[in-house]
Amino acid sequence: KQTNKPDLKLTASLDMAAPEQQPILVIHVLNQSGHALHIPDPPLLCKSAPGAFSLEVKFIPENSGQAQPATDCGLQVDGSGLPDIRERAKKWITLKPGQDFEARRPLAMGVDANAHGTYEFHVVYDGPSATPEDDQKLKEAGVAAPSGRFESDKVTYKISAPKS
């Protein structure tokens, strides 16, 4: 039976007591598709890219009620030097139906942890195919990968200035 559930469910939380002594973003990727899915081990980037996590952040500085526009991180995502997607897929993680993959990434990769204020963000995961050709190659190779864009619930993180 076909349900309109997306292939993946993303959940995000912050581990404030992480041994890394900085806030760690804990992202869970749950396969709710009913069949095995293959995903690359997603890096956390400052803007969306195929097969990667990114954060969509709304930042409200501590001393103002105004949200600041997101800054462009200047990252250029260029997939042209990558091996063929079928080659890359051989190293991907296989998620069985109902299986959950946990990724831990330093929050500092997605937000400026020195700016005092409130961050509201959600994690976005883009499926690994950059183009319809990639989709077709994966399909021909029998590799089921999630396609499209998946978003977690909103996470709020507050950084307060030390009281002087």
Side-chain angles (χ1 to χ4, degrees), residues 77-83 88:
V77 178
D78 174 18
S80 62
L82 291 171
R88 287 179 289 159

Side-chain angles (χ1 to χ4, degrees), residues 6-79:
D7 285 348
L8 297 178
K9 180 177 184 202
L10 281 196
T11 54
S13 61
L14 285 173
D15 180 355
M16 302 304 284
E20 293 88 345
Q21 298 185 332
Q22 63 173 325
I24 297 295
L25 185 59
V26 181
I27 306 162
H28 284 271
V29 181
L30 174 68
N31 177 356
Q32 52 183 24
S33 71
H35 57 268
L37 287 173
H38 302 271
I39 63 166
D41 186 356
L44 176 62
L45 302 175
C46 54
K47 66 167 69 155
S48 63
F53 293 130
S54 58
L55 295 182
E56 286 191 358
V57 181
K58 189 169 106 189
F59 174 63
I60 300 136
E62 192 170 49
N63 300 326
S64 110
Q66 296 296 309
Q68 287 186 334
T71 51
D72 183 20
C73 62
L75 172 79
Q76 289 305 313
V77 178
D78 174 18

Side-chain angles (χ1 to χ4, degrees), residues 94-142:
T94 301
L95 285 178
K96 297 183 186 83
Q99 191 176 7
D100 179 60
F101 169 70
E102 179 183 282
R104 295 174 64 87
R105 306 288 184 259
L107 182 63
M109 295 174 77
V111 303
D112 174 2
N114 298 320
H116 301 131
T118 302
Y119 295 86
E120 287 180 355
F121 60 87
H122 55 264
V123 177
V124 177
Y125 174 72
D126 288 286
S129 297
T131 61
E133 293 89 65
D134 281 354
D135 281 335
Q136 192 56 40
K137 286 178 180 177
L138 288 174
K139 200 171 181 169
E140 287 167 7

